Amino acid sequence: MKNRKKRLAILGSTGSIGQSTLDVVRRFRERYEVVGLAAGRNTGLLAEQISEFRPEIVAVKTESHARKLRKRLGRRKIRIVHGEDGYEMVAAARKADLVVSAITGIAGLKPTLAALKSGKDLALANKESMVVAGSLLRKLAARSGSQIIPVDSEHSGVFQCLAGRDRKFIRKVYLTASGGPFLRVPLEELAGKTRAEALKHPRWKMGRKVTIDSATMMNKGLELIEARWLFSLQPEQLGVLIHPQSIVHALVEFCDGSVLAQMSQTDMRIPIQYALSYPERWEAPLPSLDLTEIKSLEFYPVDEKRFPLFGLARKALAAGLSFPVVLNAANEVAVQAFLEGKIAYGEIFEVVNHCLGRHRPRALAGLEDILAVDRETRSQAQHYFRDLKGNKA
Ligand SMILES: NC(=O)c1ccc[n+]([C@@H]2O[C@H](COP(=O)([O-])OP(=O)(O)OC[C@H]3O[C@@H](n4cnc5c(N)ncnc54)[C@H](OP(=O)(O)O)[C@@H]3O)[C@@H](O)[C@H]2O)c1
């Protein structure tokens, strides 16, 4: 149908990506309609979003959050659902054309799968889904004809550099990383860095989990695995460059030595808007990129002594099988424990390293296998850091 508004379902609408997505929608009211929203616990912000965007269906984490939300909304007519089934309902909402997947962690996996199964196009921010179930996501998208459009700035950069180009000409793809808050901290001080220090990202304002992952550079490791599946690349075709200015987001080197780079201001609304407008481009109210003001763009290799979690992620990428699921699960548990003050910064590595070292790799036939490895790893990680604490007591 010509000129019909694009209908969106936004999973994780109360988060950093979710709120930036709604900012984009605000600027293009004539082009978008929000039909579904999903959040976790923040019923206050969700209620405001509902009043402003008037979706037909919303999901929250538990029945008690659903009751709270109902109370806040009074008599407004809206369907409120909760839990895993509720998230899947929003992801598969009949009217939605495009689902923005921006719940953090493996909690985003089932709704992401539900969106693809029901043939929705997917704007993917939830990288953890691609890390643990890349092959499954690709298969489902191929079967249902869904498009997967990356939201992560680096993957959006690669996607834009590759548009209309044959993959067989790619020699190497580089994702860039700012290096986070600890790029220049003396190595001997790293292990004791505090939560507040790790949450102070120099370039991007993001949710807590991805901010810690950026400090350790696990984020970039997860992104390499995400890129492997998004762009059908071999592990050895993927590299990372530290680029403190965060202006170049990705570079693609072709077999003739030509390199294309994608640049933009450091603002997530740019890749989010592109994922929503794709294949078109719409005006954004941002100043032009002034390279004469920035003057220099620096690039460095990653020091794996400083960022050992990145080293583990690279190994998991190369080893494949169930290793990426273990990497992700152990990291989620360890980061949560660090955020709760239960383990030290340096112990995030110890937990993930322990789980990967103990793991007996296997082929993953489908979702049940993935979830089984995820559960086993979480339990192993919990035990390990309890032992870690026990030994230190
Ligand atoms: N932020 C960025 O710039 C950025 C860039 C690229 C990719 N990403 C990826 O995008 C995803 C979201 O990141 P973010 O920075 O937006 O995170 P965030 O600010 O922490 O937001 C996370 C969203 O997911 C919801 N949520 C969290 N855990 C949940 C659970 N167990 N069940 C249901 N809902 C849950 C939260 O709900 P409540 O707050 O209501 O509880 C919130 O709406 C992550 O996978 C991240 O790696 C983020």
Side-chain angles (χ1 to χ4, degrees), residues 312 323 326 350-361 380:
L312 292 183
F323 279 118
V326 175
E350 289 181 36
V351 175
V352 179
N353 192 36
H354 169 81
C355 291
L356 284 169
R358 286 286 181 90
H359 182 62
R360 292 223 190 105
Q380 194 173 44

Side-chain angles (χ1 to χ4, degrees), residues 11-19 38-43 60-61 87 101-105 107 124-128 151-154 204-210 213 219 223 268:
L11 312 174
S13 67
T14 49
S16 161
I17 292 288
Q19 292 183 60
R41 301 181 170 89
N42 191 346
T43 53
V60 283
K61 199 161 169 55
Y87 293 131
S101 170
I103 288 177
T104 300
L124 182 72
N126 172 252
K127 62 195 81 182
E128 295 90 344
V151 165
D152 239 322
S153 54
E154 298 77 3
W204 299 98
K205 197 173 170 337
M206 310 175 283
R208 284 153 61 92
K209 194 256 177 187
V210 60
D213 285 346
N219 184 49
E223 287 181 8
M268 277 310 292

Side-chain angles (χ1 to χ4, degrees), residues 14 77 166 206-207 210 229 245 277 298 305 338 361:
T14 49
K77 262 180 88 182
D166 195 323
M206 310 175 283
V210 60
W229 293 110
Q245 292 79 17
S277 70
E298 300 158 279
K305 272 204 199 103
F338 173 66

